[in-house]
Amino acid sequence: VLGASLPHHILLVSGVAGLIADALSMGSSGFLAAKSEREVYAHEIAVEEEELRLMPDLEEEELALLYQMRGLATDAARETAREIMRQPDRALREKTQLELGISAAAMSPLREGWITGLSTAVGAFIPVLPFLLLRGTAAVATAFIITMLAHLGVGAARSIFTGRGAFRSGVDMFIVGLGIAGIGYLVGEWISRAL
C-alpha cells in the first residue's frame, strides 16, 4: 500500500483491515488444522481399537515386536505384551503410542485458533503502530526499521528450536522479510501506475 503512495488515513485503514483479516484467516486456519489433526487421530485410534477387538493374537504379537524394537528381550517382550493385552484400555493406549506415535491429546482447536490468530495480530500490528503515532516519511521509516528489527529478533529466537546460530537465523529471516517488503512495495507502485 505504501508503494501506491496513498494518503495517510488510507494507509492506516489498510493496515488495520489487513491486520484483522490476517489474524482471522490464520486463526481459523489454526483452528481447522488442529480440528483435522484431532479427527485423524480419533479415526486412527478407532481403527486400532477395532483391530485389537478382531485380531487380539496378531495385535499381541505386534506389541511384543514393538517392545523388542525398544530393546526388551524376546521372552520379556512377549510376557509384557500378554499382560497388557489383558487390559483392553491399556493395550489401546500402548498400541496407539508405540505403533502410531499418538500420545496425549493435542492442543484444543479453539486454543490453537486463538493463539495463532493473536500471534498473527501482534506481528501485523508492528508495522501499523508507527502510522498511529506518526505521519509521512517518519512513519514509513519507523515502520520499516521496527519491522525489520522484529524479523531479525524472531529469526534469532527461532535458533532456540533449530539449533542454528542466532545471528544466522536472524539474518535469514531479515533477508526474507526485506525481500517480501520490497516485492510488496514494487507491486503497489506498479498497480498504482497501471490504474
Side-chain angles (χ1 to χ4, degrees):
V1 177
L2 282 174
S5 302
L6 298 170
H8 179 82
H9 71 282
I10 293 178
L11 291 173
L12 193 55
V13 167
S14 298
V16 171
L19 179 155
I20 292 168
D22 285 349
L24 291 173
S25 175
M26 292 299 291
S28 60
S29 294
F31 170 82
L32 291 173
K35 188 172 186 271
S36 295
E37 181 180 86
R38 230 185 212 189
E39 290 168 353
V40 167
Y41 285 174
H43 173 70
E44 289 179 350
I45 290 169
V47 168
E48 192 62 45
E49 189 173 26
E50 187 68 7
E51 288 175 357
L52 281 164
R53 189 180 67 78
L54 295 174
M55 305 174 284
D57 294 338
L58 182 61
E59 292 297 304
E60 185 177 316
E61 285 178 36
E62 277 185 9
L63 193 55
L65 286 172
L66 289 167
Y67 288 136
Q68 287 177 40
M69 287 174 28
R70 294 201 178 299
L72 214 54
T74 304
D75 290 339
R78 286 183 180 150
E79 182 55 40
T80 304
R82 191 174 306 114
E83 181 62 34
I84 286 177
M85 288 298 289
R86 290 185 187 127
Q87 305 166 49
D89 289 344
R90 187 172 176 202
L92 181 61
R93 277 195 311 274
E94 285 287 300
K95 288 285 290 180
T96 55
Q97 189 172 23
L98 296 175
E99 184 179 342
L100 304 175
I102 300 171
S103 54
M107 186 181 292
S108 82
L110 191 57
R111 184 163 183 233
E112 181 72 25
W114 272 108
I115 289 172
T116 304
L118 188 60
S119 299
T120 301
V122 168
F125 184 70
I126 292 171
V128 173
L129 177 63
F131 291 94
L132 293 171
L133 307 172
L134 306 167
R135 292 184 169 271
T137 307
V140 173
T142 304
F144 178 76
I145 290 168
I146 65 171
T147 300
M148 290 299 102
L149 287 174
H151 274 79
L152 194 64
V154 170
R158 189 179 65 162
S159 69
I160 294 168
F161 304 103
T162 64
R164 288 181 67 204
F167 179 76
R168 195 165 159 208
S169 291
V171 169
D172 282 354
M173 194 144 185
F174 177 87
I175 290 170
V176 169
L178 185 61
I180 291 169
I183 290 168
Y185 184 87
L186 292 174
V187 166
E189 191 177 60
W190 175 76
I191 290 173
S192 70
R193 286 183 186 172
L195 299 177

